[in-house]
Amino acid sequence: MKTILTVIGKDQTGIIAGVSQKLYELNINILDVTQTIMEDYFTMIMLLDLSKINVSFDEVKNALTETGNNLKVKVNIQREEIFDAMHRL
């Protein structure tokens, strides 16, 4: 299953490292990534492959939300088909 992960928040050191470490722990592969700084705000979008996870999607979502809370950024993950459908409307 492919998913889209977005990260938005006030820029600080360790955001990419913290999110990437959690993805590694969950056995999630990063297929593509784009990231930019808009003034003081960090934004990142990742295309992820969850085909090798051994937990539920909800557990992944909760773990990434907790990681975002620890990093003081907003982390959102959506299945690719839902993300695509939302942007066709």
Side-chain angles (χ1 to χ4, degrees):
M1 167 187 9
K2 290 183 181 175
T3 61
I4 307 296
L5 177 85
T6 58
V7 180
I8 299 172
K10 192 86 167 167
D11 189 32
Q12 60 181 321
T13 58
I15 297 173
I16 294 174
V19 172
S20 298
Q21 177 64 36
K22 181 53 69 178
L23 295 173
Y24 170 75
E25 291 169 8
L26 294 167
N27 204 26
I28 296 172
N29 190 30
I30 301 169
L31 300 174
D32 201 357
V33 61
T34 184
Q35 169 269 318
T36 191
I37 306 294
M38 297 173 18
E39 295 197 13
D40 292 337
Y41 291 95
F42 175 90
T43 62
M44 179 169 67
I45 301 174
M46 290 179 162
L47 177 62
L48 306 173
D49 176 9
L50 276 65
S51 64
K52 295 183 179 177
I53 61 171
N54 52 13
V55 295
S56 72
F57 180 75
D58 286 339
E59 289 173 287
V60 169
K61 193 172 185 174
N62 290 337
L64 291 169
T65 297
E66 182 180 330
T67 297
N69 291 339
N70 292 338
L71 294 169
K72 297 182 175 58
V73 294
K74 176 73 174 164
V75 176
N76 188 39
I77 187 167
Q78 292 180 306
R79 291 184 165 99
E80 183 180 36
E81 62 270 15
I82 293 173
F83 185 87
D84 287 345
M86 288 177 56
H87 291 85
R88 275 188 233 135
L89 298 176

